[in-house]
Amino acid sequence: MPLEPAIESGDRSHTLAPVESVAQISSMLLDTDPTLDPVLAEAARAAAAEGVVLLTNDGTLPLGERPVAVFGRVQIDWFAVGYGSGGDVKVPYIWNLLAGLRDAGVRVDDELAAHYSTWSAANRPAFAATWGEWPHHFPEMAIADADVAAAASRADTAVVAIGRAAGEARDSILEPGSYYLTAEERTLLDSVTSHFAHTVVVVDAGNVMDLSWVVDYGDRIGAVLFAWQGGMEGARAVAGVLAGESGPSGKLTDTIARSYEDYPSAPNFGDLHVNVYAEDVFVGYRYFETFAPDRVLFPFGHGLSYTTFDLATAATTDAETVRLEVVVTNTGARPGKEVVQVYTGAPHGALGKPARHLATFAKTGLLTPGESETIRLEVRLDELASYDDGGATGARSAWVLEAGAYPVYVGTDVRSASRVAAFEVPETRVVRTATEVAAPVRAFERLTVARADDGSALVSHETVPTRTVLRAERVLGSLPVEIPQTGDRGIDLADVARGAASLDDFVAQLTDEELSLLARGDVTMDSPLGAAGNAGVLGGVSESLRAKGVSPVTTTDGPSGIRLSAYASLLPSGTALASTWNTALIEELAALHGEEMLRKGSDVLLSPGMNIHRDPLCGRNFEYFSEDPVVTGRIAAAVVRGVQSTGLSACPKHFAANNQETNRTRNDSRVSERALREIYLRGFEICVREAAPRTIMTSYNQINGVWAHYHYDLATVILREEWGYEGAVITDWWIENAVDPDFPALEDNAYRVRAQVDVLMPGGVKRDAAPQAQADTTILDSLAREDGITRGELQRTARNVLGLVISLKPVVDARTLEG
């Protein structure tokens, strides 16, 4: 029999390499790059396996020893992750499903496998040369009904692999081959389900796609497994779950609706210029559980196991905290893990609220049959407050607990969670006062909830509150004091790092030119100051800065791997990681990833991606985690802690409300302040407070008319003043040209520095929408103007950047010495 193409080479051109065994892959790793870590690969495999979500199962899975016929070209041409900066890693190998099944000991039908392998080798997928023109899917191999029947005579169980790709700069579309099945895929499923006693469908996709066909086929499909996309080890991990080597324990981090039109964002997604977030805080399950529970195909948090569990909950409540002890017992016949999910409700009050929202969660270890584990969790009352952006409660710009009952629910998905306790708030109270930020300029109607006489939720609408704060007054009221310039006094940044001099003493030495250099990267991607293939370098971008001890800081794309010229590991997609609901596992994986960064020469990983899955068509959803901000924040914090445990920096992105790829650099996200705070900023807030990332990246889009890289309210008022963030803020690569509407003497990079977005990356300018390999002079030009940028603002940015350099300096210096 011919060798099967077990893995795919890492150049994304889909040239296949024949590999038969794990030992051969280990040999390839050593031949390709001895710095690649098999321990990291094994951790990636474990995470990919835990991220697999078993949606349905009538007992067909696990496959065990029965003979299996595998259909679908994706068994060969496996989508390991999405496309673009979040996935284009030079990976040494990628397992495919066919090889993974054989590795797991599954008795694959060799005749059918050879047919697919031969056809696939002769019909390689075509790739456009243009960035962002990624394939949505690969055309399916036609197979005669007679051939399917013949395969069914040799095996009673079929596995059908269906794949979808997604990528940066391109959203999914409501067409066959993207969101919907193709006619060829339907024909394949029709034929297979009519001939085989048992059919399993594996969905190899990073984004949610239409699954209404699961209902159409009914019991003709015995099991459906959503594989997400688990990187280089992902298909092998999926095969292990199918075979029963490990049990599925992944849970959905998104609601899967019956149709696309059921999603509340559907009427307001995809416009070239404006996305109106009319659904407001009713995103994902918050909408469905409140207004349309019957339109859910698979609820948020859903995921089956090969075993069963019993949850016994004891709750103790005081005025401010519910403490939960949940005893999880494996009541089935196989080992497995379970996720305990805690949801809360809220009184209707003046602010319309979702029926449920996730408060916290935890995952058990591996429990053998009959074994129990006690999970201890807390829910704090003040974390259940809603943000009043219009004064409906009498407390505008404040987090408010309205009077009434706040029930607490425990379960294994949002739908099945049962009530175990409740807070009682006797009268409305303010938990935390804030200040209006980033409010809409243009009014629009947003969704809210009214109550029928029987207490049921009714769809209602109200006009969103609009901006009342004058930005100019806010900026001028908090301009930093200038540090008097002293000229070079021989103070090295190392002196600051060891406490022999203050950072202000160091900054006082810097010339205006040096201050402006710290506010941009080294102009181009693949800077000669960093490892080959880097995304850009910041910090010590000039000889004078390096002479003062300012090291160059190398950034590399993420989040699924280190994007360099060198080979690197391809890790599970963001959604796959989040679907594990296992923060300890993710932190361990991220720490190993940080060690790979050390070996490869990366100082800042542009990861995690943590925008909200507002709509299933967003092209970069595979990089992100969830429709829920608590899952998003907790998973992101685990990634940041892991990476930064090595002394390096993670860089959460894209701050904020970057939920569409179509025209992403020009599109305006029009969103209420309440939804911005409760949904789109909440995950970032959790990540900042729990993990203290050293770097954060802004998004391309506008938020209520202001580009994120110019957004003072977000970068200064929210991030630094409210959340206490002390790190550096960088742009996504290149910015849009603009003049500050409040301060016409500032434009482009001066406008950006005033917002306290510290570094333009990669450092070059953008003219006529095209990146240029040169730096502009807008900072120094503005500094020379009356009413222009102040030296104090430049020094503030320098302090933020130098703080990052100091935090990385021991690692960077050690690498330099080794080199």
Side-chain angles (χ1 to χ4, degrees):
M1 129 185 127
L3 294 178
E4 299 299 340
I7 64 165
E8 182 181 338
S9 69
D11 61 5
R12 304 310 293 263
S13 66
H14 293 259
T15 301
L16 298 178
V19 174
E20 293 185 293
S21 67
V22 177
Q24 191 172 353
I25 288 179
S26 299
S27 175
M28 285 183 62
L29 280 175
L30 291 173
D31 292 342
T32 302
D33 188 337
T35 67
L36 291 169
D37 184 4
V39 176
L40 174 57
E42 186 57 35
R45 181 189 178 195
E50 285 207 25
V52 169
V53 179
L54 182 60
L55 296 176
T56 68
N57 188 23
D58 64 359
T60 299
L61 291 179
L63 295 172
E65 297 296 321
R66 66 170 69 103
V68 174
V70 187
F71 294 87
R73 73 170 300 165
V74 176
Q75 65 178 290
I76 307 292
D77 300 319
W78 186 259
F79 290 112
V81 75
Y83 290 92
S85 60
D88 285 353
V89 175
K90 187 177 179 182
V91 58
Y93 69 88
I94 292 173
W95 278 88
N96 67 35
L97 184 63
L98 179 58
L101 288 168
R102 285 177 168 155
D103 176 69
V106 174
R107 294 168 54 197
V108 171
D109 183 74
D110 291 328
E111 184 176 336
L112 181 63
H115 186 24
Y116 270 102
S117 297
T118 301
W119 183 90
S120 204
N123 295 272
R124 304 311 307 137
F127 287 81
T130 306
W131 176 265
E133 295 297 322
W134 330 112
H136 289 287
H137 79 297
F138 297 149
E140 189 54 75
M141 181 188 86
I143 184 167
D145 190 67
D147 291 333
V148 175
S153 71
R154 301 186 296 268
D156 71 345
T157 301
V159 171
V160 180
I162 294 172
R164 289 294 182 273
E168 184 175 0
R170 185 216 64 182
D171 291 314
S172 299
I173 54 178
L174 294 172
E175 293 181 6
S178 183
Y179 191 70
Y180 298 111
L181 290 181
T182 64
E184 293 77 13
E185 289 166 337
R186 276 279 189 178
T187 298
L188 178 62
L189 283 174
D190 287 345
S191 182
V192 169
T193 57
S194 67
H195 289 290
F196 280 82
H198 307 286
T199 299
V200 176
V201 179
V202 175
V203 181
D204 169 27
N207 296 12
V208 168
M209 64 175 290
D210 175 62
L211 294 184
S212 62
W213 47 268
V214 175
V215 176
D216 296 341
Y217 285 98
D219 59 10
R220 293 166 64 190
I221 293 179
V224 178
L225 199 75
F226 214 121
W228 295 118
Q229 278 166 350
M232 64 191 189
E233 290 280 339
R236 185 178 173 212
V238 171
V241 172
L242 291 170
E245 286 184 340
S246 61
S249 63
K251 303 287 186 176
L252 290 176
T253 62
D254 292 318
T255 305
I256 298 181
R258 293 185 175 274
S259 72
Y260 174 74
E261 291 73 22
D262 290 324
Y263 289 99
S265 58
N268 293 287
F269 181 85
D271 186 88
L272 275 176
H273 306 293
V274 173
N275 271 317
V276 176
Y277 288 41
E279 70 280 1
D280 208 52
V281 298
F282 296 94
V283 177
Y285 72 87
R286 287 168 164 78
Y287 169 81
F288 288 106
E289 297 306 309
T290 306
F291 298 111
D294 61 320
R295 301 310 302 163
V296 174
L297 193 58
F298 299 105
F300 178 86
H302 170 76
L304 302 179
S305 174
Y306 291 156
T307 189
T308 55
F309 297 94
D310 176 72
L311 273 60
T313 303
T316 58
T317 309
D318 59 31
E320 300 298 326
T321 307
V322 169
R323 295 176 177 85
L324 303 167
E325 285 195 357
V326 185
V327 179
V328 183
T329 303
N330 183 343
T331 57
R334 300 178 66 94
K337 298 182 179 183
E338 184 58 283
V339 178
V340 176
Q341 303 169 35
V342 182
Y343 297 87
T344 58
H348 176 56
L351 301 173
K353 304 177 189 71
R356 295 187 177 190
H357 74 266
L358 184 70
T360 187
F361 61 89
K363 191 168 192 175
T364 69
L366 186 66
L367 301 179
T368 58
E371 187 178 5
S372 298
E373 180 178 340
T374 300
I375 299 292
R376 293 176 175 84
L377 296 165
E378 287 189 355
V379 180
R380 290 184 52 80
L381 179 59
D382 59 6
E383 294 174 347
L384 310 185
S386 301
Y387 188 78
D388 185 351
D389 59 1
T393 67
R396 183 166 183 162
S397 301
W399 293 90
V400 178
L401 283 168
E402 294 195 75
Y406 290 78
V408 178
Y409 307 92
V410 172
T412 57
D413 65 64
V414 68
R415 184 66 56 83
S416 67
S418 58
R419 180 168 170 157
V420 297
F423 293 103
E424 294 293 335
V425 177
E427 58 184 28
T428 297
R429 77 174 198 243
V430 173
V431 170
R432 185 169 77 250
T433 57
T435 185
E436 177 191 303
V437 294
V441 176
R442 294 176 175 84
F444 58 87
E445 294 297 298
R446 66 176 173 186
L447 178 63
T448 188
V449 60
R451 293 291 171 184
D453 292 340
D454 63 0
S456 60
L458 299 175
V459 170
S460 185
H461 295 87
E462 65 183 12
T463 303
V464 69
T466 54
R467 186 176 304 170
T468 64
V469 172
L470 297 177
R471 171 179 172 268
E473 293 180 2
R474 173 173 280 173
V475 170
L476 292 175
S478 58
L479 287 176
V481 176
E482 178 183 338
I483 303 169
Q485 286 184 315
T486 62
D488 191 347
R489 295 168 54 202
I491 300 173
D492 190 276
L493 193 61
D495 298 327
V496 179
R498 69 171 184 268
S502 72
L503 187 54
D504 283 355
D505 290 337
F506 182 86
V507 169
Q509 300 178 112
L510 301 180
T511 66
D512 293 345
E513 172 71 17
E514 289 171 327
L515 291 170
S516 71
L517 289 170
L518 286 171
R520 68 162 173 82
D522 192 34
V523 182
T524 64
M525 298 180 69
D526 196 14
S527 164
L529 297 175
N534 64 77
V537 167
L538 61 98
V541 299
S542 71
E543 289 186 8
S544 68
L545 286 169
R546 293 193 292 276
K548 292 181 175 67
V550 182
S551 305
V553 173
T554 299
T555 68
T556 53
D557 274 324
S560 292
I562 305 168
R563 191 169 173 235
L564 288 167
S565 297
Y567 285 95
S569 305
L570 183 65
L571 305 185
S573 67
T575 305
L577 291 178
S579 296
T580 70
W581 295 63
N582 190 335
T583 55
L585 176 64
I586 292 168
E587 187 170 339
E588 177 186 351
L589 176 65
L592 291 168
H593 198 199
E595 291 175 5
E596 186 174 58
M597 290 171 63
L598 287 169
R599 296 191 296 272
K600 300 293 182 182
S602 171
D603 304 313
V604 178
L605 185 70
L606 305 177
S607 166
M610 51 184 305
N611 294 107
I612 294 295
H613 293 175
R614 173 181 177 248
D615 190 279
L617 298 184
C618 177
R620 292 183 87 172
N621 276 355
F622 74 95
E623 291 188 46
Y624 309 145
F625 298 132
S626 176
E627 68 188 23
D628 179 77
V630 173
V631 171
T632 296
R634 292 275 306 281
I635 300 296
V639 173
V640 171
R641 286 193 303 269
V643 169
Q644 295 191 168
S645 69
T646 61
L648 300 173
S649 175
C651 180
K653 62 184 185 182
H654 308 86
F655 190 69
N658 181 184
N659 306 111
Q660 174 178 303
E661 288 299 289
T662 300
N663 200 27
R664 59 183 178 163
T665 64
R666 308 292 298 177
N667 206 277
D668 187 10
S669 298
R670 294 184 182 169
V671 54
S672 76
E673 187 190 356
R674 180 185 177 191
L676 188 64
R677 284 182 175 272
E678 291 190 20
I679 304 294
Y680 301 100
L681 295 180
R682 178 66 177 140
F684 284 99
E685 181 180 9
I686 292 170
C687 184
V688 167
R689 295 190 188 278
E690 292 189 2
R694 295 182 170 116
T695 321
I696 286 177
M697 182 195 293
T698 59
S699 57
Y700 279 130
N701 55 291
Q702 300 176 63
I703 301 98
N704 290 324
V706 181
W707 274 291
H709 46 258
Y710 296 134
H711 220 302
Y712 183 90
D713 275 9
L714 294 185
T716 294
V717 180
I718 281 276
L719 185 58
R720 300 184 190 278
E721 295 176 0
E722 285 198 20
W723 300 350
Y725 179 67
E726 296 181 347
V729 179
I730 67 175
T731 69
D732 204 338
W733 268 222
W734 300 282
I735 63 175
E736 299 300 308
N737 306 117
V739 175
D740 189 323
D742 296 313
F743 306 101
L746 286 74
E747 62 181 320
D748 300 347
N749 286 298
Y751 181 11
R752 169 183 59 79
V753 168
R754 175 149 288 181
Q756 213 172 165
V757 175
D758 302 306
V759 185
L760 169 68
M761 292 300 294
V765 298
K766 194 175 183 183
R767 298 295 182 206
D768 299 322
Q772 305 293 317
Q774 63 188 53
D776 72 10
T777 61
T778 52
I779 289 176
L780 294 177
D781 291 346
S782 180
L783 185 64
R785 295 180 190 141
E786 185 178 0
D787 297 328
I789 195 79
T790 68
R791 184 173 290 111
E793 289 171 287
L794 280 177
Q795 291 170 332
R796 178 179 63 185
T797 279
R799 286 179 57 88
N800 294 336
V801 176
L802 292 170
L804 171 65
V805 175
I806 290 170
S807 71
L808 300 171
K809 189 172 177 56
V811 174
V812 175
D813 286 351
R815 183 187 293 125
T816 302
L817 289 173
E818 290 173 3

